[in-house]
Amino acid sequence: AHMSPDFIRKIFMGTLRTVLICQKCGCKRTQTESFSNVSLPLAKEFPTTDTEARSSPRRGRISVRSVLDHFTRPETLADPVDCPSCNSKTKTLKQHTFSKLPEVLCLHLKRFDAAANKKIADFVAFPACGLDMGKYLPHWCERGLEVKDRNNGEHSAKSPKVLYDLFGTVNHTGTLHQGHYVANVKSGKRWYSCNDAFVTTAGEGDGEREVLSSAGAYMLF
């Protein structure tokens, strides 16, 4: 059956919110952009949390949660940016948050580093269930918008739970210049590996352990 573009948008489209904050006067400019997948840079300095280390079959120095933390963390831009309030170029903070989360979240792990001419092959830990995206909504992580506790004025109010469970991955084997893609799909309570025309169970039992410990995770659904 033919799927309409509206049907695809309804399932996969979310909205990113980007803010620029002048470090001199505090002027804030916002911009929103639709996305069907989120590209997340990888770096070895993104630590795996203790919770992730316990839940993952493999130990890794990079995790999806820490990569998301880094993606939504405010960063000072290398070059000054024009501030409409100061009428001059000033040191500026930039931050990404998620103003609208889609029904199906697609995360793209940026393993291909064209500038360094290499593929980042490090293992990335990710959960089978309960990836909480609520903490990345604007009012819970955007600089200057954080919800404060009414009693003490601190940023202690808990974010809403917006939980995602894993049901598919795309893995890449090979190098920057050549390789092969394999998909893992959860149907019912069992995981299946889809390698070209061949579909097999992903591993022993329900196959979840093999999916979570597999190298080369490239896209997560």
Side-chain angles (χ1 to χ4, degrees), residues 31-170:
Q31 181 178 353
T32 57
E33 178 183 3
S34 297
F35 69 87
S36 57
N37 65 80
V38 183
S39 294
L40 302 173
L42 301 181
K44 290 185 178 180
E45 61 267 22
F46 301 166
T48 302
T49 65
D50 291 340
T51 301
E52 288 169 320
R54 289 193 296 269
S55 63
S56 174
R58 287 180 61 177
R59 294 299 179 98
R61 295 183 61 186
I62 311 176
S63 71
V64 164
R65 288 190 179 96
S66 57
V67 171
L68 282 165
D69 286 345
H70 184 272
F71 180 76
T72 56
R73 189 176 301 149
E75 63 171 334
T76 301
L77 298 177
D79 298 319
V81 176
D82 283 317
C83 173
S85 180
C86 296
N87 290 317
S88 62
K89 291 183 180 293
T90 60
K91 183 182 290 187
T92 301
L93 272 182
K94 181 178 181 180
Q95 185 180 15
H96 298 298
T97 58
F98 294 86
S99 59
K100 179 186 176 184
L101 290 163
E103 183 176 337
V104 173
L105 180 67
C106 177
L107 301 178
H108 164 225
L109 306 179
K110 296 178 68 175
R111 292 191 173 275
F112 302 129
D113 188 344
N117 195 33
K118 69 173 185 178
K119 174 188 172 182
I120 301 172
D122 300 73
F123 173 72
V124 178
F126 50 91
C129 57
L131 177 64
D132 188 3
M133 295 294 294
K135 60 186 289 190
Y136 305 116
L137 295 169
H139 281 84
W140 276 268
C141 75
E142 184 177 305
R143 180 68 61 86
L145 273 187
E146 303 98 327
V147 175
K148 297 183 179 180
D149 189 287
R150 290 184 179 180
N151 296 323
N152 55 29
E154 296 180 356
H155 299 157
S156 57
K158 290 186 177 180
S159 62
K161 293 287 186 181
V162 184
L163 305 179
Y164 286 87
D165 295 339
L166 187 74
F167 71 87
T169 72
V170 175

Side-chain angles (χ1 to χ4, degrees), residues 111 168-172 180-184 215-221:
R111 292 191 173 275
T169 72
V170 175
N171 290 29
H172 180 268
H180 183 66
Y181 293 95
V182 174
N184 294 300
Y218 181 64
M219 299 190 79
L220 307 174
F221 296 84

Side-chain angles (χ1 to χ4, degrees), residues 24 133 164 196 208:
K24 184 178 180 180
M133 295 294 294
Y164 286 87
D196 291 337
E208 182 178 285

